[in-house]
Amino acid sequence: MTMPNYLVVVDDTDESALAMRYAALRAKMTGGSIVLAHVVPKPEFLLSGGLQDMIAAEAQEAAEALLSRKADEVMAISGQRPALLIREGKAVDEVSQMLTENNVHALILGAAAKGAPGPLVSHFSGERAGNLPCVVVIVPGGLDPDAIDRLA
């Protein structure tokens, strides 16, 4: 039997932190593994070569620092070090590709507590939801960490 593999797309939002906490607790309970992913948007316009490269390098460094912090949090919760992925491009496209490349059993997303749920939640819970290769879990951003602990 293959152990579950949970994919969590992370950023610095509160809802992302809740989704990551949920995934870490589920992985601990099921013996599954976690993949933390961050998608760096491609620049909307091209700049001169040196400036473009500098901006790309800064974005890569920021993504690495974010994932390193988040990996430490997952380690503290689950006792395991997650796999880390950094992609560049449109988040919906990159996450779709990750779902097929990484044998994902569940995509764990956090929905914003107020306003629109976010582009990934909208995309993966909308029209495309019926054709996904895995389960999608949407963690409401209005929950507190204690509620996540009880629900995981």
Side-chain angles (χ1 to χ4, degrees), residues 58-120:
E58 287 175 0
Q60 179 73 20
E61 286 176 22
E64 289 171 1
L66 170 73
L67 286 177
S68 177
R69 285 192 321 272
K70 298 297 183 177
D72 289 344
E73 292 175 33
V74 166
M75 183 72 182
I77 295 167
S78 70
Q80 69 168 288
R81 177 86 30 205
L84 307 176
L85 291 174
I86 298 173
R87 296 286 182 91
E88 182 182 67
K90 187 176 175 189
V92 165
D93 296 339
E94 295 302 320
V95 172
S96 295
Q97 190 172 350
M98 284 184 250
L99 292 178
T100 58
E101 293 174 354
N102 294 287
N103 192 30
V104 173
H105 290 84
L107 172 62
I108 315 290
L109 299 171
K114 294 181 181 176
L120 292 176

Side-chain angles (χ1 to χ4, degrees), residues 47-64:
L47 303 169
S48 63
L51 186 55
Q52 187 80 30
D53 292 344
M54 184 178 75
I55 291 171
E58 287 175 0
Q60 179 73 20
E61 286 176 22
E64 289 171 1

Side-chain angles (χ1 to χ4, degrees), residues 7-23 107-126 136-144 148:
L7 174 64
V8 186
V9 183
V10 296
D11 55 25
D12 272 326
T13 62
D14 291 340
E15 59 268 18
S16 169
L18 289 173
M20 187 185 71
R21 181 176 189 84
Y22 178 85
L107 172 62
I108 315 290
L109 299 171
K114 294 181 181 176
L120 292 176
V121 172
S122 294
H123 178 80
F124 289 106
S125 66
V136 177
V137 177
I138 300 171
V139 179
L143 295 176
D144 61 41
I148 298 295

